[in-house]
């Protein structure tokens, strides 16, 4: 069976709103569309855009390398974080990068009211949400339940949107 549903990914109405994009593997596709849309926006008005991208090997799977680096060079992307899971003895995934950048992520979410978009496999989505909840718990000084509710509220207010699929 094939299930088709309308995408829930839409950039914020206010182009000055920062965005955090998390799209490993083929999950990069809608993130590229967002980046391309941001290219057409007034650079004086558009908010920051941070991308967390991951794939197995930089030399084999990072097929949009030049495009993404150009987006960083032109300021369309504020920051690009990459995880190459099979390039070293210990696997590195986007959710680990998210936690490594926890202070920045919290600042964008809590203070700058960033919108977060996640696209990829369901397990990555669960792991990413767990990482986000840990960040909220630590930096928001909340207990585990309160952090979970905080992230749920981000979802309800369409500031945290995931489009995931099974592997």
């Amino acid at each position: 069976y094939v299930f088709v549903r309308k995408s829930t990914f839409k950039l914020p109405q206010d182009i000055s709103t920062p965005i955090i994009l998390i799209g490993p593997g083929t999950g990069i596709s809608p993130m590229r569309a967002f980046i391309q849309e941001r290219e057409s926006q007034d650079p004086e008005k558009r908010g920051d855009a941070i991308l967390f991208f991951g794939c197995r090997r930089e030399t084999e799977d990072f097929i949009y390398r030049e495009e993404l680096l150009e987006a960083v060079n032109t300021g369309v992307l504020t920051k690009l974080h990459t995880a190459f899971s099979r390039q070293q003895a210990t696997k590195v995934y986007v959710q680990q990068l998210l936690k490594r950048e926890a202070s920045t992520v919290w600042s964008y979410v809590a203070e700058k009211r960033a919108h977060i978009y996640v696209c990829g496999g369901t397990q990555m989505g669960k792991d990413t949400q767990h990482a986000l909840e840990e960040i909220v718990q630590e930096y928001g000084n909340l207990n585990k339940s309160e952090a979970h509710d905080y992230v749920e509220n981000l979802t309800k207010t369409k500031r945290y949107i995931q489009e995931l699929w099974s592997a």
Side-chain angles (χ1 to χ4, degrees):
Y1 295 99
V2 174
F3 298 96
V4 179
R5 64 183 170 114
K6 192 173 179 175
S7 176
T8 57
F9 277 5
K10 293 183 180 22
L11 285 172
Q13 290 282 2
D14 179 355
I15 67 170
S16 69
T17 302
I19 56 175
I20 298 172
L21 310 173
I22 304 164
T26 56
I28 189 66
S29 295
M31 308 314 171
R32 289 180 62 228
F34 282 166
I35 293 164
Q36 290 164 5
E37 186 171 339
R38 299 281 279 211
E39 283 176 337
S40 69
Q41 296 171 340
D42 182 344
E44 298 297 319
K45 294 180 182 174
R46 72 174 171 236
D48 290 346
I50 300 171
L51 173 63
F52 291 86
F53 171 74
C55 58
R56 291 180 181 197
R57 291 179 185 82
E58 182 177 17
T59 56
E60 296 173 22
D61 305 313
F62 195 14
I63 59 176
Y64 299 110
R65 175 190 175 97
E66 299 306 318
E67 178 181 326
L68 296 175
L69 292 177
E70 180 63 20
V72 171
N73 290 338
T74 60
V76 174
L77 269 180
T78 308
K79 186 73 178 158
L80 170 63
H81 299 280
T82 55
F84 304 109
S85 63
R86 305 297 192 278
Q87 260 184 218
Q88 58 283 320
T90 304
K91 294 178 183 178
V92 178
Y93 297 108
V94 290
Q95 56 271 24
Q96 292 165 308
L97 297 182
L98 200 65
K99 286 175 72 173
R100 186 181 75 197
E101 298 298 322
S103 177
T104 299
V105 169
W106 175 248
S107 172
Y108 271 86
V109 171
E111 297 165 21
K112 299 179 182 181
R113 314 251 329 129
H115 287 218
I116 305 166
Y117 301 87
V118 182
C119 187
T122 52
Q123 188 59 55
M124 178 279 306
K126 289 176 187 176
D127 293 343
T128 297
Q129 181 161 333
H130 181 73
L132 183 57
E133 288 176 2
E134 287 181 348
I135 292 167
V136 168
Q137 184 176 351
E138 179 180 352
Y139 287 84
N141 295 312
L142 302 174
N143 66 39
K144 191 172 184 172
S145 176
E146 291 168 333
H148 176 79
D149 291 346
Y150 185 99
V151 174
E152 284 297 313
N153 189 55
L154 291 176
T155 301
K156 288 177 188 166
T157 58
K158 299 188 179 354
R159 287 185 51 216
Y160 180 60
I161 302 172
Q162 293 186 308
E163 288 198 357
L164 308 172
W165 57 84
S166 296

